[in-house]
Amino acid sequence: MPNPVRQDYIPPELRPDSVISVGPSGEISTDVLIIGSGMGGSSLAWALKDSGLKVLVVEQGTFLPREPENSQPAEMYLKGRYKNAGSWYDGRTGTPFAPGVYYWVGGNTRFYGAMLPRFRRSDFTEVTHHDGVSPAWPFGYDDLEPFYCTMERLLQVHGRTDEDPTEPPHSKPYPHPALEHEPEIERFARSLRGQGLHPFHTPNALNVKTQADRAAVMTADGCPDETGMKSDAENRILLPALRDGVKILTDAKITRLITSPDGRKVIAAEARHAGRTVRINAKTFAVACGAVNSAALLLRSAGDAHPHGLANSSGLLGRNYMVHNSTFFVGVNPLRTNPTKWQKTLGINDFYEAGPGTPFPLGNLQMLGKLQAPMLKPARPWAPMWSLRFMSARSIDIYLTSEDLPSRDNRVRVDGDRILIDWTPTNLAPHHELVRRVTRAVRKAGYPLIFTQRMGIETNSHMCGTAVAGHDPAQSVLDPLCRSHDVENLWVTDSSFFPSSAALNPALTIGANALRVAPALAQATNDG
């Protein structure tokens, strides 16, 4: 039997008084309650740390231990060591599935590949796609740009701005130079350039200097990182906030928000903690527990003043659920090995926007972290490990994403403790075309054998859209500053607010937006 994961682990650099407990009364109070410690919650906490307000982050998980098993793919992919989100349910069939989310301090960023692109300027505007229209956001790229700069500094992003034709303007350069390609990826880049494409060095928050460093974090795309070289929401954003006075309550699941009788304000949150129900009073409540869990919490907080869910006068809460159309793409040359350690340094956006020969946007190409046999086994359980080892030693591994358009019929629902996901992907034809074009390019680059796996309902690490922001309360859940139209002291600072999904990793945009809304949230709290 594997050793159990410690639930009492505290990072050694953290002051013990940063982690609070609930006394015998079962009640605590704060100025700002932030629900969730992923990118949206941690970034908001960091932005408020010098505001003079008492800020409490509540996380239903605990600190994930830094242990050797962090970087062992068999522990992650075969034994499920860190999977703790239970089951969600396919709303169409009732079938349970294990979602690609994690309930640990730092949220999904503990497992991400530290790929931190800015959304393109066009992503904030109305864009015509093959299957319909991607709506404009209620603010533009320029409104978010200075906060992108701050996030890149906090997360120590490595990158360059002169290679990708779609790169939006930066008022400040990346804080660190781009990570160079290892030889096999540089060979691939040369082939792509020879085919008329524009491969670029991706913006990445992996702080490696030597090949030994890269070997130490080889599994950091998909696994936790015990070395600290991968920047995530916990180690770069939340821990500094906790050292500066923010507090955290772990192992506490918020079950509902309680409003005043007229429904205009939230007055308290109820949570399950240490086997009992506790109450957390606050002036301001910020929900940041992921697009599915945030919607589920607000739906479960229905009451007399909000019979269809808290902040749901528009009827849109939980609707417009989006995840990227995504494909794991593997090219294999049986005659040549790929010894790359950190592969996630190359991207292509030549097909990201419409243009000559591309009538509709197709999406983004980025490298995956170097695949290993245990990572492939869940997708090919029938394949013997020796064959997967042979394949992964000779593969080049790619992640393709295309935009999933918003649809009212794609939604999050709750049935008691169960979360149900109704999702039929949209805009698949462009994704198929993206796969076709990349197949041609990868074969020309010398990888004749192509294997693809399109991700299904369980692969939802880029989920968004369940509480969209907008100007019109009848057509949105939140205002442009991500404050509820209906409840004056309720804010949502995760990807729930996204009006569209774009086709890039959302983490940097989530964090930048949390920094953008923080001054207004602080001012409203002081005024209240």
Side-chain angles (χ1 to χ4, degrees):
M1 293 289 292
N3 294 326
V5 181
R6 286 183 58 189
Q7 301 297 312
D8 61 348
Y9 175 83
I10 301 293
E13 65 269 37
L14 186 62
R15 289 188 342 211
D17 64 351
S18 298
V19 184
I20 70 166
S21 58
V22 183
S25 70
E27 192 165 332
I28 52 178
S29 296
T30 189
D31 292 328
V32 180
L33 173 61
I34 300 172
I35 305 169
S37 65
M39 189 63 85
S42 290
S43 299
L44 181 63
W46 183 89
L48 296 174
K49 66 184 176 63
D50 298 321
S51 65
L53 298 167
K54 293 189 294 183
V55 178
L56 173 64
V57 178
V58 173
E59 168 58 51
Q60 71 170 300
T62 59
F63 285 94
L64 194 154
R66 300 171 191 174
E67 56 184 8
E69 291 89 346
N70 286 173
S71 55
Q72 296 172 9
E75 290 287 333
M76 182 74 197
Y77 292 92
L78 302 182
K79 298 178 182 179
R81 181 173 182 81
Y82 302 111
K83 294 287 285 185
N84 60 1
S87 295
W88 295 350
Y89 295 83
D90 186 327
R92 315 287 184 184
T93 65
T95 304
F97 64 92
V101 297
Y102 302 90
Y103 302 152
W104 300 96
V105 175
N108 288 345
T109 69
R110 292 306 314 275
F111 302 84
Y112 78 160
M115 186 64 58
L116 293 168
R118 300 181 177 201
F119 279 8
R120 312 293 92 172
R121 185 183 287 279
S122 62
D123 288 324
F124 297 88
T125 68
E126 183 177 292
V127 177
T128 300
H129 286 261
H130 182 276
D131 282 10
V133 172
S134 179
W137 290 34
F139 57 89
Y141 172 81
D142 292 336
D143 297 305
L144 207 58
E145 199 281 332
F147 305 103
Y148 274 139
C149 292
T150 302
M151 288 299 299
E152 287 162 352
R153 176 177 57 82
L154 283 173
L155 292 164
Q156 303 173 19
V157 178
H158 298 245
R160 53 188 293 180
T161 61
D162 60 343
E163 296 177 307
D164 177 4
T166 71
E167 186 70 34
H170 289 228
S171 60
K172 296 179 181 178
Y174 280 110
H176 300 281
L179 297 180
E180 294 301 323
H181 302 319
E182 294 177 48
E184 189 67 11
I185 305 307
E186 179 57 40
R187 192 201 66 78
F188 182 48
R190 286 197 302 271
S191 174
L192 295 174
R193 287 192 291 270
Q195 296 178 49
L197 300 172
H198 300 84
F200 60 91
H201 290 78
T202 51
N204 197 274
L206 199 73
N207 298 286
V208 292
K209 296 179 180 178
T210 67
Q211 197 62 14
D213 288 344
R214 292 186 182 222
V217 294
M218 185 174 178
T219 64
D221 185 10
C223 292
D225 164 42
E226 73 268 33
T227 72
M229 287 188 280
K230 180 172 79 172
S231 296
D232 59 43
E234 184 211 55
N235 65 0
R236 298 289 184 261
I237 303 174
L238 184 59
L239 291 184
L242 294 173
R243 290 194 290 269
D244 280 352
V246 172
K247 305 296 184 183
I248 188 169
L249 175 67
T250 62
D251 198 22
K253 181 178 181 180
I254 304 293
T255 55
R256 69 181 182 117
L257 302 179
I258 303 168
T259 67
S260 56
D262 63 3
R264 292 301 304 165
K265 283 190 173 183
V266 180
I267 57 174
E270 282 189 357
R272 291 295 299 169
H273 175 64
R276 60 176 175 154
T277 299
V278 301
R279 179 183 173 105
I280 306 171
N281 305 306
K283 297 177 182 177
T284 297
F285 296 77
V287 179
C289 36
V292 168
N293 280 306
S294 289
L297 172 61
L298 297 178
L299 288 168
R300 288 178 177 139
S301 300
D304 291 343
H306 300 275
H308 303 297
L310 190 59
N312 194 25
S313 65
S314 65
L316 293 174
L317 179 63
R319 294 185 181 273
N320 296 306
Y321 170 79
M322 293 169 279
V323 292
H324 287 146
N325 297 313
S326 57
T327 290
F328 281 21
F329 182 108
V330 176
V332 176
N333 184 332
L335 304 180
R336 185 173 63 242
T337 59
N338 178 7
T340 304
K341 301 304 181 187
W342 185 248
Q343 188 173 244
K344 209 171 178 70
T345 57
L346 180 146
I348 296 177
N349 279 330
D350 288 75
F351 315 124
Y352 194 86
E353 297 174 325
T358 305
F360 299 101
L362 302 184
N364 166 260
L365 177 154
Q366 63 181 260
M367 306 306 295
L368 287 165
K370 188 68 199 77
L371 292 180
Q372 299 182 40
M375 300 173 177
L376 296 169
K377 186 68 173 176
R380 297 291 187 271
W382 46 265
M385 287 296 288
W386 68 263
S387 67
L388 297 177
R389 284 192 290 268
F390 180 91
M391 176 180 174
S392 59
R394 292 160 176 80
S395 68
I396 194 165
D397 315 303
I398 293 169
Y399 186 57
L400 301 177
T401 56
S402 302
E403 186 159 345
D404 184 29
L405 302 179
S407 166
R408 288 177 61 98
D409 294 332
N410 287 338
R411 62 186 297 199
V412 177
R413 296 183 287 125
V414 294
D415 178 17
D417 290 336
R418 299 199 314 162
I419 290 176
L420 296 92
I421 307 295
D422 299 331
W423 180 62
T424 300
T426 67
N427 213 35
L428 278 176
H431 189 66
H432 296 323
E433 176 63 14
L434 179 63
V435 173
R436 189 186 69 81
R437 294 191 186 191
V438 172
T439 298
R440 183 173 58 200
V442 171
R443 282 188 170 139
K444 286 183 178 180
Y447 296 89
L449 305 180
I450 303 297
F451 303 88
T452 62
Q453 177 79 44
R454 190 166 70 83
M455 299 296 100
I457 194 171
E458 72 288 343
T459 305
N460 44 22
S461 53
H462 293 179
M463 58 189 174
C464 60
T466 57
V468 295
H471 295 284
D472 183 355
Q475 300 297 323
S476 56
V477 177
L478 309 171
D479 72 12
L481 284 170
C482 298
R483 184 179 187 172
S484 164
H485 289 299
D486 303 342
V487 184
E488 62 187 63
N489 65 339
L490 175 64
W491 307 66
V492 179
T493 61
D494 57 26
S495 60
S496 302
F497 86 88
F498 284 24
S500 64
S501 67
L504 292 167
N505 310 53
L508 192 74
T509 298
I510 296 169
N513 180 70
L515 302 189
R516 181 184 72 93
V517 306
L521 185 150
Q523 185 63 53
T525 305
N526 284 317
D527 292 346

